């Protein structure tokens, strides 16, 4: 943990800087912070570094110093990012500094100057290069892992750990992370697997952040100093906000039409409209602002609302500059496609300084928004949380509309880590004196909860690593199965499991020692107290079991007899609160009766209301016109029942079958009474000691099971993965088969299903559009549950799709047999769209036929299909005879889909 340095220490540190760092500092127009100096000095000293610091604090300076060192020393530097957009942005930054001849770019979409000394790439690209043993790795000296906290991502996190584990030993790793509470733990693991690694944690924001809430049109500070005004007193929630919350809660409790004091209805705060929020921030000089709305449609709607309200945040000169940038960046897109993409409405918002930013936008449109926002020409952006994940778009103010979001299954509250990530965008270094975070007042919002989000600093980084099928064949091919398992044991996931198991193991040892102590105290001179206690416990369990069986039989008898009752039967209710006489009105579904009780109440009864079988006491006729809702009808019917039973003494209701005592149970009781300990005068004291021993034994066994479950957990999972691959013939013990090598080139969540489709010739004979439709199911995953079945592509693609689901079912069963569940079901929600685009249909026709698909989603999903088609082409070409045809079709399908807006979104 870095601490503030004194002026003398800062001067001494400056004088001690390596010459290379002094020259590097000259490239910037601001003085480096202490944590930046320390990290760069460690790099210059030949060490790896982990830097954990808040968003916007300047962590990337450390990564850029690694680039500087590589160029100065004649080695290579790979700068990796988790998302293509961030790779594109970093590539542009480095090209501006070092020139296009020194910098390359490798993503799933672009390959620019890939042999340059500095290459920006997505982390997946580097992982694939490591497994392929790419010659491009030659001379590699540094790897920057930007946004390394992504390794907690459920779907993609394993890639970061794979890269860290498999990089050549001489490569220095520069890991840049958002602030996490267990940075030291992560750094300790890095030091263990990579060698000398310096951990630098800095929680200081270079631009102070002020927290606010906007209630109505009033902007309130979230925190205020102690009312006593003591120096150093901790900030607490603004009392005025607490009063507003209490008043709002009181108003909510009042009946809608019930007036308050003085005949007035209680007033509740109205949530301000989005144009009003932006106008309020503009008047307070708090623009530019990013408003986070956890809905793409909400972002588009917010921008449209501001335009419709006549909001204008730009001057005529700025409007002209905005128009020029937008027209330049979209010049290659035909007018007909621009109309389909809503270019006119989008440009109108930009010209007013207003824009949306989310994954559903065309990538080119998003890049324009980013460029204009960075230039200070866009003043209000409405964005989903994806903007907070690495894109460099800081603002003066961040607005959060709601403190919960839909996570795909339910509405979940924001975590402190998510809140900090979002508000970290507020405050532009070198521009703003302070940043501002504004939470909009909503009915029911607790200011204390907001304060908890803003004040919490504990968000641990937890590994999501697990072996995959592709990983297993690649590692086994390179190192053999035993060595591969050892490598996987060095993962951060196993490191954390071992850390956790250490504490559990200590608990288990203490619990075992207590068990031994209790064992020594547990004795009886008459006999074996442990044996006696076991016999007593077994007898108790037998008695409970037999009681459960008797109760089940009684319920079964009652349920069976209920089904034989008819309308008008008078019965005795023997159990529950409704005991007494009732008359049956009608049978209801699921074994229930509708009856009229002696208290003239209509009730539903089940077998649980009876202690045994039910037989009619008597019977009456219920008129057809009887209405259970009529009090008079119920009263008359109750009188009829009473008259029918007048003077009659009711026989007791049978309580079910008369079960004789179980002979085995009687024998167990006899053996217990014959045991020597049974006659001991201190028997019950001994039994209590034995019970403490048994409870302690259960605790020990539970802790030891937890230890066993976490020890070597990654290696055990790897062995189960290998068992599946052995069963299917991709591995032959320590050898990778030809089919396994083909699987090793398929990087997909459904890698094994893709390999099986190739091996079984399922795609042989398909046309380009048909193959694109089938392959889309391996990469596409619906954002939400669809209301109906997906629209399948026509022709042979429909039959192939059905066969793919059948194969997935077979693989799912094999996984289940081996204790795994990795493969999700293929999703054909994009199949018809992929088919039409590969067939050459116009963009307007494709999107008009799928109004639920946003342009950005269409581009992203199409590119994912293209990427997987390229992998399939390479894998099929390397396979058995017959694969050449599939390889040719896959390449042709990928080429057919690289057109129009798909081709226009590449980096220029």
């Amino acid at each position: 943990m870095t601490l503030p340095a004194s002026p003398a220490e800062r001067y001494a540190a400056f004088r001690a800087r390596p010459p290379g760092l002094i020259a590097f500092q000259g490239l910037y127009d601001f003085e480096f912070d202490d944590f930046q100096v320390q990290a760069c000095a460690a790099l210059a000293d030949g060490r790896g570094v982990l830097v954990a610091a808040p968003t916007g604090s300047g962590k990337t300076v450390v990564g850029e110093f690694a680039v500087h060192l590589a160029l100065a020393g004649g080695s290579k530097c790979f700068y990796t990012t988790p998302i293509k957009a961030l790779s594109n942005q970093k590539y542009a930054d480095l090209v501006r500094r070092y020139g296009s001849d020194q910098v390359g770019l490798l993503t799933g979409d672009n390959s620019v100057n890939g042999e340059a000394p500095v290459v920006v790439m997505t982390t997946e690209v580097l992982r694939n290069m490591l497994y392929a043993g790419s010659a491009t790795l030659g001379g590699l000296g540094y790897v920057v892992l930007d946004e390394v906290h992504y390794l907690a991502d459920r779907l993609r996190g394993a890639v970061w750990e794979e890269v860290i584990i498999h990089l050549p030993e001489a490569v220095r790793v520069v890991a840049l992370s958002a602030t996490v509470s267990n940075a030291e733990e992560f750094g300790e693991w890095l030091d263990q697997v990579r060698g000398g690694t310096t951990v630098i944690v800095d929680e200081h924001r270079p631009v102070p952040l002020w927290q606010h809430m906007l209630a109505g049109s009033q902007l309130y500070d979230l925190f205020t100093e102690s009312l006593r005004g003591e120096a150093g007193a901790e900030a607490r929630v603004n009392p005025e906000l607490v009063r507003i919350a209490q008043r709002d809660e009181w108003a909510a409790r009042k009946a809608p039409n019930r007036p308050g004091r003085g005949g007035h209805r209680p007033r509740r705060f109205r949530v301000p409209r989005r144009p009003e929020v932006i106008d309020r921030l503009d008047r307070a000089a708090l623009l530019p602002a990013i408003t986070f709305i956890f809905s793409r449609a909400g972002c588009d709607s917010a921008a449209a609302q501001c335009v419709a309200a006549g909001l204008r945040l730009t001057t005529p000169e700025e409007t002209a500059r905005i128009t020029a940038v937008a027209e330049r960046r979209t010049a290659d897109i035909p007018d007909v496609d621009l109309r389909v993409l809503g270019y006119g409405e989008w440009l109108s918002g930009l010209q007013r300084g207003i824009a949306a930013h989310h994954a559903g936008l065309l990538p080119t449109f998003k890049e324009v928004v980013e460029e204009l926002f960075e230039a200070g020409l866009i003043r209000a952006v409405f964005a989903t949380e994806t903007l907070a994940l690495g894109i460099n778009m800081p603002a003066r103010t961040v607005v959060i509309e709601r403190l919960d979001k839909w996570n795909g299954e339910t509405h979940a509250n924001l975590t402190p880590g998510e809140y900090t990530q979002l508000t970290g965008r507020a405050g532009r270094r070198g521009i703003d004196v302070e940043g501002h975070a504004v939470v909009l007042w909503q009915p029911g919002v607790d200011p204390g909860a907001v304060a908890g989000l803003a004040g919490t600093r504990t968000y641990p980084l937890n590994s999501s690593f697990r072996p995959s099928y592709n990983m297993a064949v690649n590692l086994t091919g390179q190192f053999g199965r035993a060595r591969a398992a050892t490598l996987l044991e060095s993962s951060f996931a196993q490191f954390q499991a071992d850390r956790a198991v250490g504490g559990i193991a200590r608990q288990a040892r203490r619990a075992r020692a207590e068990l031994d102590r209790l064992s020594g105290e547990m004795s009886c001179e008459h006999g074996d107290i442990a044996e006696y206690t076991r016999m007593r416990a077994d007898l108790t369990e037998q008695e409970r079991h037999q009681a459960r069986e008797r109760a089940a039989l009684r319920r079964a008898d009652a349920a069976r007899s209920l089904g034989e009752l008819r309308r008008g039967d008078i019965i005795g209710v023997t159990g529950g609160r409704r005991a007494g006489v009732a008359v049956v009105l009608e049978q209801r579904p699921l074994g229930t009766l509708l009856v009229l009780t002696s208290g003239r109440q209509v009730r539903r009864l089940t077998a649980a209301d009876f202690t045994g079988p039910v037989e009619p006491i008597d019977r009456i006729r219920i008129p057809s016109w009887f209405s259970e809702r009529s009090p008079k009808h119920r009263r008359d019917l109750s009188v009829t029942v009473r008259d029918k039973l007048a003077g009659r003494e009711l026989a007791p209701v049978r309580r079910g079958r008369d079960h004789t005592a179980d002979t085995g149970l009687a024998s167990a009781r006899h053996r217990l009474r014959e045991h020597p300990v049974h006659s001991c005068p201190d028997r019950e004291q001994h039994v209590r000691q034995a019970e403490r021993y048994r409870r302690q034994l259960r605790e020990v066994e539970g802790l030891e099971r937890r230890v066993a479950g976490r020890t070597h957990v990654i290696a055990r999972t790897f062995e189960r993965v290998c068992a599946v691959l052995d069963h299917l013939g991709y591995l032959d013990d320590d050898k990778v088969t030809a089919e396994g090598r083909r699987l090793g080139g398929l990087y997909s969540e459904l890698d094994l299903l893709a390999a099986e489709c190739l091996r079984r010739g399922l795609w042989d004979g398909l046309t380009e559009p048909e193959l694109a439709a089938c392959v889309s199911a391996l990469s596409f995953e619906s954002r939400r549950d669809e209301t109906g079945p997906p629209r399948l592509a026509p022709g042979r693609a429909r039959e192939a799709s059905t066969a793919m689901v059948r194969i997935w079912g077979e693989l799912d069963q094999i996984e289940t047999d081996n204790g795994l569940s990795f493969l999700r079901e293929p999703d054909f929600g994009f199949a018809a769209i992929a088919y039409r685009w590969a067939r050459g249909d116009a963009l307007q026709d494709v999107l008009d036929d799928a109004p639920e698909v946003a342009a950005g989603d269409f581009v992203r999903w199409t590119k994912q299909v293209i990427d997987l088609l390229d992998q399939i082409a390479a894998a099929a070409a390397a396979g058995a005879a017959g694969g050449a045809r599939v390889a040719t079709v896959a390449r042709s399908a990928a080429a057919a889909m690289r057109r129009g807006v798909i081709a226009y979104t590449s980096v220029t």
Side-chain angles (χ1 to χ4, degrees), residues 75 83 96 110 123 155 241 272 337 368 403 410 431 522 611 617 682 719 787 805 833 874 895:
S75 63
I83 51 179
R96 279 194 293 270
N110 299 287
T123 319
L155 295 178
L241 283 173
D337 284 355
V368 170
L403 296 176
T410 184
I431 302 175
M522 192 174 63
T611 58
I617 300 170
D682 299 322
E719 283 304 316
T787 56
V805 174
I833 300 169

Side-chain angles (χ1 to χ4, degrees), residues 21 24 32 35-45 61-62 65 69:
L21 179 52
F24 179 66
F32 287 172
F35 86 91
Q36 294 167 323
V37 173
Q38 291 179 36
C40 291
L43 269 178
D45 195 36
V61 163
V62 184
F65 185 58
L69 289 175

Side-chain angles (χ1 to χ4, degrees), residues 47-357:
R47 296 178 62 81
V49 294
L50 165 64
V51 180
T55 300
S57 60
K59 295 185 294 292
T60 54
V61 163
V62 184
E64 290 164 4
F65 185 58
V67 172
H68 179 82
L69 289 175
L71 291 174
S75 63
K76 288 183 180 180
C77 177
F78 288 171
Y79 198 113
T80 74
T81 75
I83 51 179
K84 295 172 185 175
L86 187 53
S87 291
N88 295 341
Q89 191 177 73
K90 200 69 207 175
Y91 169 73
D93 292 343
L94 293 175
V95 165
R96 279 194 293 270
R97 173 169 294 171
Y98 298 110
S100 58
D101 60 325
Q102 296 290 298
V103 184
L105 175 68
L106 293 175
T107 67
D109 304 331
N110 299 287
S111 178
V112 181
N113 198 17
E115 296 301 323
V118 177
V119 184
V120 183
M121 61 184 68
T122 52
T123 319
E124 281 87 353
V125 169
L126 177 54
R127 185 271 312 271
N128 298 353
M129 290 170 63
L130 287 167
Y131 280 149
S134 171
T136 306
L137 295 167
L140 182 62
Y142 299 88
V143 166
V144 180
L145 298 173
D146 204 353
E147 309 284 346
V148 74
H149 50 272
Y150 257 82
L151 66 78
D153 184 80
R154 181 180 63 87
L155 295 178
R156 301 174 54 212
V159 176
W160 276 257
E161 294 188 50
E162 290 177 81
V163 165
I164 291 168
I165 292 170
H166 300 310
L167 277 172
E169 186 177 346
V171 175
R172 289 286 164 252
V173 169
V174 181
L176 309 177
S177 170
T179 307
V180 292
S181 56
N182 62 333
E184 288 81 3
E185 178 190 38
F186 183 52
E188 186 178 338
W189 173 70
L190 280 172
D191 190 69
Q192 180 176 298
V193 297
R194 300 298 316 164
T197 299
T198 298
V199 179
I200 297 173
V201 179
D202 187 83
E203 296 185 358
H204 171 70
R205 280 182 54 95
V207 180
L209 180 64
W210 290 87
Q211 306 278 348
H212 311 277
M213 290 192 74
L214 181 63
S217 61
Q218 184 68 39
L219 196 63
Y220 296 89
D221 288 337
L222 177 60
F223 295 107
T224 184
E225 293 295 326
S226 168
L227 294 179
R228 294 190 302 272
E230 299 173 2
E234 289 189 4
R236 66 186 185 87
V237 179
N238 188 337
E240 183 60 28
L241 283 173
V242 175
R243 283 192 289 271
I244 290 172
Q246 291 170 343
R247 190 162 64 244
D248 191 74
E249 183 181 357
W250 174 78
R253 287 200 305 266
K254 304 292 285 184
N257 298 317
R258 179 180 169 188
R261 291 189 182 94
H264 299 291
R265 288 200 184 101
R267 184 177 69 86
R268 302 190 69 186
F269 272 95
R270 180 179 65 84
V271 180
R273 295 174 62 249
R274 286 153 176 166
E276 294 171 346
V277 174
I278 299 302
D279 183 62
R280 176 69 180 83
L281 296 177
D282 190 24
R283 287 187 282 110
L286 293 180
L287 296 182
I290 298 171
T291 301
F292 284 107
I293 302 173
F294 305 118
S295 157
R296 297 177 180 184
C299 292
D300 292 335
S301 176
Q305 288 167 17
C306 290
V307 172
L311 205 60
R312 180 173 288 278
L313 308 172
T314 55
T315 65
E317 180 188 359
E318 289 171 334
T319 299
R321 291 173 59 193
I322 289 169
T323 304
V325 171
E327 290 178 347
R328 172 176 56 83
R329 294 295 300 270
T330 59
D332 292 333
I333 303 179
D335 290 343
V336 63
D337 284 355
L338 288 177
R339 285 194 296 273
V340 174
L341 298 168
Y343 173 80
E345 296 84 352
W346 172 72
L347 179 59
S348 177
L350 295 184
Q351 291 169 334
R352 293 172 176 268
I354 301 163
H357 187 288

